[in-house]
């Protein structure tokens, strides 16, 4: 029995999986956990961003994704004021990460994620 066809298949599978996988493409999403009893008094108006699969809601009103920062800016008493994020049922993780990256890119580092 010749092993040449089996070796060819193994090498083809090896090449396929090497080309299909990503090396070094992982990114880290830095999240800091809050300690027990470390809460501070809330300052300013409410800032609740509810993330749905097809929409974003700021304090209950639907808002476009590109208008989130513009609508959130007047509600911020300080640049480091916290914003509460709540992901709805069935929201993909990538959508949540997109909103977190958008807020952090706009200079809002203090985010609170609730379920």
């Amino acid at each position: 029995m010749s092993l040449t066809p089996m070796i060819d298949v193994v090498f083809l599978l090896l090449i396929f999986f090497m080309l299909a996988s990503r090396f070094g493409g992982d990114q880290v999403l830095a999240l800091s956990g809050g300690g027990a009893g470390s809460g501070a008094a809330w300052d300013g108006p409410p800032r609740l961003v509810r993330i749905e699969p097809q929409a974003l809601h700021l304090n209950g009103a639907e808002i476009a994704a590109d208008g989130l920062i513009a609508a959130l800016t007047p509600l911020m008493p300080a640049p480091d004021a916290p914003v509460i994020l709540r992901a709805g049922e069935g929201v993909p993780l990538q959508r949540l990460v997109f909103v977190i990256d958008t807020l952090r890119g706009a200079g809002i580092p203090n985010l609170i994620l609730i379920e």
Side-chain angles (χ1 to χ4, degrees), residues 45-105:
R47 296 172 297 274
L48 173 64
V49 178
R50 195 175 79 232
I51 305 165
E52 297 294 333
Q54 300 299 324
L56 289 176
H57 299 271
L58 176 61
N59 295 334
E62 188 169 338
I63 190 164
D66 56 354
L68 177 63
I69 301 303
L72 198 55
T73 303
L75 301 175
M76 303 290 288
D80 62 342
V83 174
I84 299 175
L85 301 176
R86 181 173 187 206
E89 190 72 29
V91 173
L93 179 62
Q94 184 60 40
R95 180 146 172 88
L96 176 63
V97 169
F98 173 75
V99 172
I100 290 173
D101 284 343
T102 301
L103 292 172
R104 285 190 176 165

